[in-house]
Amino acid sequence: MKHFDGSACIYAFAPHMQPIGSVSPGERFTVMTHDCFHEQIQTEGQTLSEIDYDRLNPATGPIFVDNAHPGDLLKITLHDIRVADRGIAIVVPGEGLLGHHVENSMVKIIPINGTHCTYKGLNLPLAPMVGVIGTAPSEASGTWGTASPWMHGGNMDTKDICAGNILYLPVNTEGALLALGDCHAAMGDGELCFTGLEVQAEVELTLELIPGAAQKWPVLETLEAYMVIASGDTVDDALYEASFQAVTMLASCLDMTFEEAYLLASLYVDLKISQVVDPKKTVRAAVPKSVLSETHRASLFRGDNVIPSEKK
Amino acid sequence: MKHFDGSACIYAFAPHMQPIGSVSPGERFTVMTHDCFHEQIQTEGQTLSEIDYDRLNPATGPIFVDNAHPGDLLKITLHDIRVADRGIAIVVPGEGLLGHHVENSMVKIIPINGTHCTYKGLNLPLAPMVGVIGTAPSEASGTWGTASPWMHGGNMDTKDICAGNILYLPVNTEGALLALGDCHAAMGDGELCFTGLEVQAEVELTLELIPGAAQKWPVLETLEAYMVIASGDTVDDALYEASFQAVTMLASCLDMTFEEAYLLASLYVDLKISQVVDPKKTVRAAVPKSVLSETHRASLFRGDNVIPSEKK
């Protein structure tokens, strides 16, 4: 199985990047990912002033996907996320949603043992996920640091980006140029203090292409739902955008008027928080599969079914 | 079983209200609730200009709870919510998160058959919940229309307020003065278009008292989590308040510093959207029971464990 060892990584998603290697559609491969600190934190006694902030959120890649062309949709199936045997979480004054209540920095190295981690005497379950995953942004979108989420993906910090689920990202340039990193062994919706349980990991995945079906925002498919993942300057802004996308998706799939789909969404679409602490905030609007027939689902990513972006 | 038939209801939660009857702690009883339109909508051909807006969101009550004193916590166990055989949902220009996209009003009378409803040829599952439920607010808090959520409860539109779960509300006055209404047969997190599937219902419940343990915000207990339900002018404001409560709850229960609890919350507390369309927006911060031992859970609502409110 092809393996990317993490020796080459990026700190920004740019429209033009030099690929480190390539994969074919349908090929199963593995990627070693760094923790969000690029392993600069090794002991609890370290002070954060020692850290080079230009090396945060490394994403392994970019990986060229053979035959990926602008306008295609990249279908990413996540098979497994194997996390390291310890993770890091930190608290910093001023950081995260409640950072002004924090008086002292705290670095915690948290042991991981199979399916659980241990913190302050508590034995807590793991739920590994990928924090940063994205493709080259469009020229119009420009360059985005790996700390930020946007239409190309990036630091979405969405805990449903986990093994068993499928992520759909836009292809904006030849080869798509996928990169990923910043795995978390556990994270709550919100990522309150601005770190999850930050870990090195090995991610096993397969990429496929859906020609001419690019969406404006990432879409995540779980066992139960299609989730539009949108970001904005505030949670309120992100909720607006994700909601508009979900209602438009329903109207298009079910051949309903906007009003009819809006009503249906009010009864069945769940708005969910991804993270509230990155430079842009991220939410997801979950359209349950139960409202869509097999035929509807098949039409979801047709080439003629592109959902436009909408600003208030 | 004692039964309140819905003939007496309120449109505002006030510090001083005249009770319509009383129940004893531990007594199982039923309450008939009106739909949010007070049954003013009977056909799809009606125009909304015919509606008396002063009669929206009726809450059956207030019900006096014997031996309830200010400072107690009212424990409300919801046993069952039996909904009518049809529900109403409407779309109105300017209303809800995406209301400026709506060109025409639409009234839908939606048939309900046992566990499902039928809309536009789709057979959709029900998930009955209580939209409005509250106690008399404190004098300091003042009077709140039933359309708004706040610290006393009210129009929280939180879909986990459903059969099988337990809601904890503050007791601010003698007898607590509980009232409830505005049940939904189905609603997505967010309540995008500003109505759920609005129904008349019969709610079966039991009330108990925990002396001297009032919380500042409602708390909901599900099989898996304790959820602090907080509201604010924006979703961002509500998320801040709910998060602060959850972190303070964890710090208190687990005897941790604020920083230690903040870190734990970042890994395990889920921020969830309740509704984004009422006069105040409502969210919930879910603390999973898996991080709390039986001892911790028992200490959650101790009289000496009151969580203060906090404003940014």
Side-chain angles (χ1 to χ4, degrees):
Chain A
M1 207 183 313
K2 195 172 282 186
H3 178 72
F4 295 90
D5 67 5
S7 56
C9 55
I10 58 171
Y11 301 100
F13 288 93
H16 301 282
M17 299 186 287
Q18 191 62 39
I20 61 166
S22 67
V23 295
S24 300
E27 178 183 359
R28 198 155 166 149
F29 64 103
T30 55
V31 177
M32 287 302 300
T33 62
H34 298 281
D35 72 38
C36 73
F37 307 107
H38 211 149
E39 292 83 65
Q40 293 180 85
I41 296 180
Q42 290 295 330
T43 69
E44 295 190 344
Q46 277 182 271
T47 62
L48 299 174
S49 59
E50 300 166 22
I51 290 179
D52 178 357
Y53 278 76
D54 290 337
R55 296 180 63 212
L56 295 186
N57 290 303
T60 303
I63 298 165
F64 188 97
V65 185
D66 295 336
N67 296 314
H69 304 297
D72 293 349
L73 191 64
L74 183 64
K75 178 179 178 180
I76 304 165
T77 302
L78 293 160
H79 303 297
D80 199 9
I81 302 169
R82 293 179 283 271
V83 301
D85 59 3
R86 65 179 203 168
I88 300 167
I90 70 172
V91 166
V92 179
E95 291 288 354
L97 195 61
L98 307 173
H100 64 290
H101 285 285
V102 175
E103 292 180 5
N104 301 302
S105 289
M106 188 174 74
V107 173
K108 285 285 172 192
I109 309 278
I110 297 175
I112 292 173
N113 190 349
T115 58
H116 285 70
C117 67
T118 311
Y119 173 65
K120 301 284 294 176
L122 300 168
N123 192 37
L124 301 165
L126 303 186
M129 52 161 279
V130 180
V132 171
I133 182 166
T135 53
S138 66
E139 292 275 359
S141 184
T143 296
W144 290 82
T146 47
S148 189
W150 199 238
M151 295 178 187
H152 63 285
N155 196 12
M156 293 179 284
D157 281 334
T158 294
K159 69 181 190 176
D160 293 316
I161 302 179
C162 62
N165 289 343
I166 297 168
L167 179 66
Y168 300 89
L169 291 178
V171 178
N172 294 304
T173 191
E174 294 298 326
L177 303 181
L178 181 76
L180 59 149
D182 183 32
C183 287
H184 303 153
M187 190 195 90
D189 273 340
E191 203 189 15
L192 264 181
C193 87
F194 99 115
T195 75
L197 183 51
E198 307 292 339
V199 286
Q200 291 176 279
E202 184 180 50
V203 182
E204 189 171 327
L205 63 166
T206 302
L207 307 180
E208 293 166 273
L209 293 165
I210 307 176
Q215 308 290 305
K216 278 285 164 57
W217 290 96
V219 175
L220 188 67
E221 180 178 351
T222 70
L223 202 59
E224 282 141 15
Y226 292 100
M227 302 180 174
V228 180
I229 304 175
S231 299
D233 289 335
T234 65
V235 174
D236 288 275
D237 285 352
L239 288 170
Y240 177 88
E241 180 71 18
S243 300
F244 179 79
Q245 298 294 319
V247 172
T248 312
M249 177 192 279
L250 281 172
S252 173
C253 285
L254 297 172
D255 197 22
M256 288 182 175
T257 65
F258 184 88
E259 285 82 354
E260 288 165 345
Y262 187 33
L263 188 151
L264 178 63
S266 198
L267 305 190
Y268 289 99
V269 167
D270 283 327
L271 302 184
K272 299 168 89 75
I273 299 290
S274 289
Q275 58 77 22
V276 300
V277 295
D278 292 335
K280 302 270 183 188
K281 318 310 175 197
T282 305
V283 306
R284 50 207 196 277
V287 176
K289 288 181 173 176
S290 61
V291 309
L292 301 172
S293 71
E294 284 297 329
T295 314
H296 295 139
R297 294 180 208 172
S299 75
L300 201 56
F301 299 123
R302 283 194 321 248
D304 59 348
N305 194 16
V306 176
I307 299 169
S309 180
E310 157 76 353
K311 288 280 180 189
K312 249 186 294 197
Chain B
M1 208 183 312
K2 194 172 283 186
H3 179 71
F4 296 89
D5 66 5
S7 57
C9 54
I10 58 171
Y11 301 99
F13 289 94
H16 301 282
M17 300 185 285
Q18 191 61 40
I20 61 166
S22 67
V23 295
S24 300
E27 179 183 0
R28 197 155 167 148
F29 64 103
T30 55
V31 177
M32 286 302 300
T33 61
H34 298 280
D35 72 39
C36 73
F37 307 106
H38 210 149
E39 293 81 66
Q40 293 180 87
I41 297 180
Q42 291 294 327
T43 69
E44 295 189 346
Q46 275 180 274
T47 63
L48 299 173
S49 59
E50 299 165 23
I51 291 179
D52 179 357
Y53 279 78
D54 290 337
R55 297 180 62 212
L56 296 186
N57 291 304
T60 303
I63 298 165
F64 187 97
V65 185
D66 295 337
N67 297 315
H69 305 297
D72 294 348
L73 191 63
L74 183 64
K75 178 181 178 180
I76 304 164
T77 302
L78 293 161
H79 303 297
D80 200 9
I81 302 169
R82 293 178 283 273
V83 301
D85 59 4
R86 64 179 204 168
I88 300 166
I90 69 171
V91 166
V92 179
E95 291 289 354
L97 195 61
L98 306 173
H100 64 290
H101 285 285
V102 175
E103 292 181 3
N104 302 301
S105 288
M106 187 174 74
V107 173
K108 284 285 172 190
I109 309 278
I110 297 174
I112 292 173
N113 190 348
T115 56
H116 285 70
C117 68
T118 310
Y119 173 66
K120 300 283 296 175
L122 300 167
N123 192 38
L124 301 165
L126 302 186
M129 52 161 277
V130 181
V132 171
I133 183 166
T135 54
S138 66
E139 293 276 359
S141 184
T143 296
W144 290 82
T146 47
S148 190
W150 199 239
M151 295 178 186
H152 63 285
N155 195 12
M156 293 179 283
D157 280 334
T158 294
K159 67 181 192 177
D160 293 317
I161 302 179
C162 61
N165 290 342
I166 298 168
L167 179 66
Y168 299 90
L169 291 178
V171 178
N172 294 304
T173 191
E174 294 299 325
L177 304 181
L178 181 77
L180 58 151
D182 183 32
C183 288
H184 304 152
M187 190 194 90
D189 274 340
E191 202 187 18
L192 265 182
C193 88
F194 101 113
T195 76
L197 183 51
E198 308 292 339
V199 285
Q200 290 176 279
E202 184 180 51
V203 182
E204 189 169 326
L205 62 168
T206 302
L207 308 179
E208 294 166 273
L209 294 164
I210 307 176
Q215 309 290 306
K216 277 286 162 58
W217 290 96
V219 175
L220 187 68
E221 181 178 351
T222 70
L223 202 59
E224 282 140 14
Y226 292 100
M227 300 179 176
V228 181
I229 303 175
S231 299
D233 289 334
T234 65
V235 174
D236 288 275
D237 285 352
L239 287 170
Y240 177 88
E241 179 71 19
S243 300
F244 179 80
Q245 299 294 318
V247 171
T248 312
M249 177 191 281
L250 280 172
S252 174
C253 284
L254 297 172
D255 198 21
M256 287 182 177
T257 65
F258 183 88
E259 285 83 353
E260 289 165 344
Y262 187 33
L263 188 151
L264 179 63
S266 197
L267 305 190
Y268 288 99
V269 168
D270 283 326
L271 302 184
K272 298 167 89 75
I273 300 289
S274 289
Q275 58 77 22
V276 299
V277 296
D278 291 336
K280 302 271 184 188
K281 318 309 174 198
T282 304
V283 305
R284 49 208 197 278
V287 176
K289 288 181 174 176
S290 61
V291 310
L292 302 171
S293 71
E294 284 298 329
T295 314
H296 295 139
R297 295 178 207 173
S299 75
L300 202 55
F301 299 123
R302 284 195 318 249
D304 59 348
N305 193 17
V306 176
I307 298 169
S309 180
E310 156 76 353
K311 289 279 181 190
K312 247 185 298 196

